[in-house]
Amino acid sequence: MTATLNKPATQGQSLQVRPRKPVLAATGGPSVRPAAAAHLSDADVERLGQELDAVRDRIIASRGAKDAAYIRRVIAVQRTLELAGRATLLFSKRKSAFFAGTAMLSVAKILENMEIGHNVLHGQWDWMRDPDIHSTTWEWDFVTPAAAWKHTHNDLHHTWTNVLGKDKDVGYSTLRMSDEQPWQPHNILNPAINMVLAPFFEWGIAIYDLELEAWKEGEKSTDDLKKSLKALGKKAARQAAKDYVATPGAAAVFGSGKQALIGTFTANAIRNVWAHSVIFCGHFPDGVDVFTEEEIEGETRGDWYIRQMLGSANISGSKLLHLMTGNLSHQIEHHCFPDLPSNRYYEVAVEVREICERYGLPYTTGPMPRQVGQAWAKVFRLALPPKRTATARINQAPTVRAPRPARASFRLPQAARVV
Amino acid sequence: MAQIRALRRMASLLTTPLAPEDFLALVNPLASTRQLRGVVTKVVRETADSTTIHFHPGRGWNAHAAGQWARIGVEIDGVRQWRSYSLSAAAGHDPAITVTAIGFVSTALARDTKVGDILFLNVPQGDFVLPAHPRPLLMLTAGSGLTPVMSMIRTLVPRRPDADVVLIHSARTAADALFRDELLELADQFPGLTVRHWYTREEGGRRLDLTDPTDLETLCPDWRSRAAYACGPSDFLDAATELWEHSGDDGQAQLTIERFAPVLLPGTGGAGGLVTFEKSDKEVEAGGDVPLLDAGEECGVVMPSGCRMGICRSCLTPLVAGKVRDLRTGEVHGDEGELIQTCINAAAGPVHLDI
């Protein structure tokens, strides 16, 4: 009907788009800043907030066809690998086919969960307005339903990053992952629980997303819990049917049923261990801070950024590593800007790191084996009750810039800091 | 068909949570469960700034009636943009749109579309169609308003020996006149078609004057006895409507019009407000003259949309809270739960939408 109907409204105007977040003040400051940022004045923090806002704005303004082509390419590669993996498993009574099929399916599942699912569900690609790649329509190859995960992850974890009592991702309600969490006798099982959690990570997350704790405390109604359980049951049944019935069933035609079942189970376990490792690298290595609710009282936009930076850790490595971690190797950047397209974190990281250096803020990063090792060391260490000296240090931590343990991350000399 | 459905269900056991089509899309770009698509089969340059794009639609497309329009989505710099275009091909053929390079989307479509490109589609709609029973017709068009009428002429004239169509088409110059050669050829070949071109910018040219019947009487003396169809810019249609209303023939003369753009009241915009898209978890500060649809799309919300001019109601979205302003009338309205036409309503203060 219309060759001439333009969009007059938005042309020449820029709409101020922002993700929904609790509205934070631009100026002012909390009563206490985290120790690592205690040297910054309110004005410093405000300027830091503006600088990071500018980084975000620049990426948003430059999103375009190249980014769209990137995510479509990743999706095409992932689906091809998934098809090829399952097809190869049909003949998995041959050892080579078993290994090749399992490997392809494992990589496909990792790509699907990390670089595609996690990031699409964050709305990183919503700007394309493609209903096939959109946070409101996407469902992923993971037991927990996308809707449940979006709530606990996008709403709770990303808003309350590392705030004790608010961000239940700190230990997922079962592990003791921070000195500040009071020790309880069952914490002695920390390593055992984590060892089981790793290969069954998707089930751990699925149970976690039911928010049983919130239900016990009366924050989530029994009706809502029933709905969550029903949604999970449906999703889990379909997932299990695909990997443990349909694929082995089809392979049984070629006499490879049992091997195919082992293959799909292994692929899920490999994906689970990998996702578990990457996610534990995000917030649990040495040098990552946790916060109290008191500390975030009066938090400004700049302070919010600082909390994201102090509460997250990156993984250094190759482009392939970044891809396989879903660019969560840029956890700091992801937490500052959860909805920027993942392929752009690489360039954002350069700027964020420079800003951290300039403001004298720690920027925690390290190679994957070291970060994983530190997270596991913490799992073991925190299984035991705190020693007295540790308690004393924690008690004075929020206000006094106490000497901190040597970090894996780099710290700039005091002189370079903007004080 | 039942077998295909059963097969698809079996396949979806292996592809869940995706659909089999999501994997088929690796080889067939038209496969999708969510979005009707078409592939461009031919691109024809019509005039200096207009292009006809022929496409083959995927499964789910309904054959169009001559004169109907469809929503066409195209990706420009990674972002899906939707506009509505009249279908210029004859009914019974694969659809085609004729796009004039005016505005951001149409310009990109007219200049950059190549054979093999994918277009995103919605099914054809609209009631600007040929009458159910044969009768003498007058087509009154200006500029790209010729496109739906061209579909009617292509459909009717070659097939119906009893056709009796007079086309009055206004264009700036002969070079700008869409489908000029084809129309002259058709008129030559079929006595049922008479074509009268009217050029506004050729030597001695002026605008077609519809404020009184003089020009029409000259071009088509029996215009009152014909069923008339008009399509063109707003002022052109306003004048035609006025003329037909006052032609004094006891309402015998019948005029059907197709508009290109909504009639917005100037100066209706208020201060606007913060628009919250609750399910999508997005919010945007939108001006008082920005349709909620545009505001949503700007945030990346997949908004339902259709004509973008307040007619088709494809864009209805539930209002959770707040008031909106109808940009056509300036009226401020909105009750909780009311379905809002987002394409012609703007925020009047903070607005929450259930999407």
Side-chain angles (χ1 to χ4, degrees):
Chain A
M1 167 178 60
T2 148
T4 51
L5 174 55
N6 299 327
K7 245 174 82 181
T10 46
Q11 274 168 11
Q13 285 185 36
S14 71
L15 295 169
Q16 277 301 308
V17 182
R18 56 173 187 256
R20 273 179 84 194
K21 278 273 170 300
V23 180
L24 297 171
T27 57
S31 48
V32 259
R33 284 225 154 83
H39 60 286
L40 297 176
S41 70
D42 287 356
D44 290 337
V45 174
E46 188 186 341
R47 207 169 55 242
L48 175 135
Q50 286 164 353
E51 285 195 43
L52 287 166
D53 279 345
V55 171
R56 174 185 155 81
D57 291 347
R58 204 164 50 249
I59 297 294
I60 284 181
S62 64
R63 288 181 307 205
K66 268 169 86 174
D67 303 290
Y70 169 80
I71 191 63
R72 297 219 167 92
R73 201 163 58 236
V74 175
I75 289 174
V77 166
Q78 186 274 328
R79 287 181 187 168
T80 307
L81 269 173
E82 163 126 25
L83 268 185
R86 281 184 203 279
T88 309
L89 282 178
L90 296 182
F91 311 100
S92 51
K93 68 177 173 194
R94 291 174 64 116
K95 249 197 180 124
S96 54
F98 172 80
F99 284 116
T102 307
M104 283 191 278
L105 192 57
S106 304
V107 173
K109 279 176 177 278
I110 285 170
L111 281 177
E112 200 278 345
N113 283 178
M114 311 297 286
E115 181 65 343
I116 305 171
H118 170 271
N119 295 335
V120 170
L121 290 176
H122 258 292
Q124 292 183 2
W125 303 98
D126 284 6
W127 58 274
M128 300 189 332
R129 297 183 206 153
D130 180 348
D132 285 332
I133 310 176
H134 201 272
S135 64
T136 53
T137 59
W138 194 266
E139 188 55 81
W140 57 349
D141 183 17
F142 209 53
V143 172
T144 196
W149 181 84
K150 277 191 285 186
H151 170 64
T152 60
H153 183 84
N154 291 3
D155 288 2
L156 301 183
H157 168 57
H158 271 272
T159 310
W160 299 105
T161 310
N162 287 22
V163 177
L164 293 167
K166 284 283 191 184
D167 179 7
K168 306 274 175 13
D169 274 26
V170 182
Y172 300 99
S173 312
T174 49
L175 296 170
R176 179 163 179 257
M177 289 310 296
S178 142
D179 287 304
E180 284 81 347
Q181 284 172 303
W183 184 84
Q184 290 172 317
H186 77 258
N187 291 141
I188 199 79
L189 296 174
N190 242 15
I193 293 173
N194 205 31
M195 271 175 219
V196 177
L197 180 63
F200 294 99
F201 191 57
E202 61 173 330
W203 294 95
I205 294 294
I207 294 165
Y208 171 71
D209 285 348
L210 291 173
E211 297 184 288
L212 293 171
E213 211 167 86
W215 171 70
K216 266 187 240 154
E217 286 161 17
E219 288 162 24
K220 178 169 177 158
S221 72
T222 304
D223 253 15
D224 283 349
L225 179 65
K226 276 186 192 157
K227 272 185 213 151
S228 303
L229 275 167
K230 203 173 152 193
L232 172 58
K234 215 169 138 191
K235 176 86 190 284
R238 286 191 71 91
Q239 287 291 115
K242 166 176 70 171
D243 282 340
Y244 305 137
V245 181
T247 304
V253 177
F254 304 96
S256 304
K258 196 173 125 198
Q259 290 85 348
L261 178 65
I262 296 170
T264 53
F265 182 84
T266 308
N268 276 329
I270 289 174
R271 181 273 320 275
N272 285 339
V273 169
W274 177 259
H276 174 271
S277 302
V278 170
I279 278 133
F280 270 54
C281 286
H283 299 294
F284 303 140
D286 296 348
V288 170
D289 286 347
V290 290
F291 310 88
T292 60
E293 283 188 61
E294 182 205 4
E295 273 180 296
I296 62 163
E297 187 73 36
E299 188 174 64
T300 64
R301 179 113 186 102
D303 286 301
W304 185 86
Y305 276 130
I306 289 177
R307 175 157 57 87
Q308 304 305 325
M309 299 192 293
L310 298 182
S312 312
N314 281 7
I315 308 170
S316 56
S318 63
K319 285 233 154 151
L320 181 65
L321 178 100
H322 295 313
L323 173 69
M324 295 304 281
T325 61
N327 276 294
L328 289 182
S329 48
H330 299 118
Q331 186 77 239
I332 296 172
E333 289 71 26
H334 172 58
H335 260 269
C336 286
F337 315 111
D339 58 351
L340 289 187
S342 55
N343 62 324
R344 307 296 289 275
Y345 285 143
Y346 188 78
E347 62 182 277
V348 173
V350 178
E351 295 183 65
V352 171
R353 192 164 180 159
E354 188 273 326
I355 289 173
C356 277
E357 282 180 27
R358 210 147 28 79
Y359 285 84
L361 292 168
Y363 184 93
T364 308
T365 184
M368 191 156 180
R370 190 172 76 195
Q371 304 301 90
V372 173
Q374 286 177 355
W376 273 96
K378 196 176 254 184
V379 169
F380 276 91
R381 183 166 60 79
L382 293 176
L384 300 172
K387 290 179 196 140
R388 286 194 56 149
T389 47
T391 320
R393 187 179 65 76
I394 292 149
N395 285 346
Q396 53 172 259
T399 43
V400 181
R401 193 168 170 74
R404 296 168 73 81
R407 287 172 186 274
S409 57
F410 70 93
R411 299 290 292 271
L412 277 192
Q414 196 75 35
R417 293 182 186 164
V418 180
V419 179
Chain B
M1 211 49 206
Q3 282 152 333
I4 290 177
R5 267 204 300 277
L7 196 68
R8 189 188 171 279
R9 249 205 318 277
M10 293 262 289
S12 76
L13 275 181
L14 280 162
T15 58
T16 187
L18 298 172
E21 286 82 355
D22 293 321
F23 286 91
L24 274 181
L26 288 172
V27 287
N28 173 12
L30 296 188
S32 168
T33 48
R34 283 200 192 85
Q35 183 63 71
L36 182 58
R37 294 150 196 249
V39 60
V40 174
T41 51
K42 196 163 79 166
V43 176
V44 183
R45 179 65 37 112
E46 299 287 355
T47 65
D49 58 357
S50 38
T51 307
T52 295
I53 300 164
H54 297 260
F55 56 94
H56 179 68
R59 268 178 38 186
W61 174 265
N62 302 336
H64 68 284
Q68 284 193 311
W69 53 274
R71 289 211 315 131
I72 308 287
V74 59
E75 217 159 88
I76 303 175
D77 201 16
V79 182
R80 185 103 24 118
Q81 308 280 356
W82 288 88
R83 293 294 183 272
S84 302
Y85 293 97
S86 290
L87 299 165
S88 52
H93 288 74
D94 260 1
I97 53 173
T98 302
V99 182
T100 304
I102 303 170
F104 159 57
V105 176
S106 295
T107 301
L109 263 175
R111 303 254 156 92
D112 306 334
T113 307
K114 299 181 302 293
V115 170
D117 283 358
I118 297 296
L119 296 176
F120 305 92
L121 312 170
N122 267 14
V123 290
Q125 43 187 317
D127 44 17
F128 187 72
V129 291
L130 290 166
H133 303 290
R135 52 180 298 189
L137 302 176
L138 166 62
M139 308 300 198
L140 194 55
T141 60
S144 56
L146 177 59
T147 47
V149 166
M150 195 62 198
S151 169
M152 294 175 169
I153 289 173
R154 282 169 170 161
T155 305
L156 187 68
V157 170
R159 292 181 209 168
R160 299 286 301 226
D162 59 345
D164 176 5
V165 182
V166 175
L167 167 70
I168 301 173
H169 178 60
S170 165
R172 279 178 300 189
T173 62
D176 277 337
L178 278 173
F179 313 120
R180 187 170 176 275
D181 295 344
E182 182 184 347
L183 282 168
L184 296 178
E185 214 167 281
L186 279 171
D188 227 26
Q189 199 180 341
F190 300 100
L193 176 67
T194 309
V195 175
R196 305 251 183 266
H197 276 106
W198 181 281
Y199 301 119
T200 58
R201 301 252 178 99
E202 295 280 1
E203 212 174 302
R206 61 169 173 82
R207 290 177 65 134
L208 187 62
D209 184 6
L210 294 174
T211 54
D212 71 74
T214 322
D215 278 353
L216 266 187
E217 301 281 3
T218 322
L219 292 163
C220 178
D222 61 348
W223 65 276
R224 283 188 174 85
S225 63
R226 290 174 175 268
Y229 288 78
C231 186
S234 265
D235 50 350
F236 178 83
L237 295 179
D238 290 344
T241 310
E242 186 94 343
L243 180 62
W244 256 260
E245 267 172 19
H246 297 289
S247 67
D249 240 20
D250 313 324
Q252 284 231 335
Q254 185 201 328
L255 174 71
T256 309
I257 63 167
E258 176 86 326
R259 281 190 187 276
F260 277 171
V263 186
L264 296 185
L265 223 60
T268 46
L274 184 67
V275 186
T276 305
F277 303 90
E278 297 209 331
K279 283 191 189 140
S280 315
D281 211 24
K282 298 269 165 62
E283 63 185 20
V284 62
E285 194 68 55
D289 54 354
V290 178
L292 294 168
L293 174 59
D294 292 349
E297 289 185 337
E298 200 67 20
C299 302
V301 178
V302 175
M303 302 283 290
S305 68
C307 65
R308 289 177 174 268
M309 50 189 285
I311 296 170
C312 75
R313 303 179 74 78
S314 306
C315 63
L316 290 179
T317 302
L319 182 69
V320 180
K323 294 279 175 203
V324 298
R325 189 186 311 272
D326 191 319
L327 291 171
R328 299 167 302 181
T329 61
E331 182 208 351
V332 173
H333 64 108
D335 295 318
E336 191 181 320
E338 185 183 337
L339 292 171
I340 299 292
Q341 286 179 282
T342 57
C343 69
I344 44 89
N345 278 296
V351 171
H352 286 245
L353 294 175
D354 189 21
I355 182 162

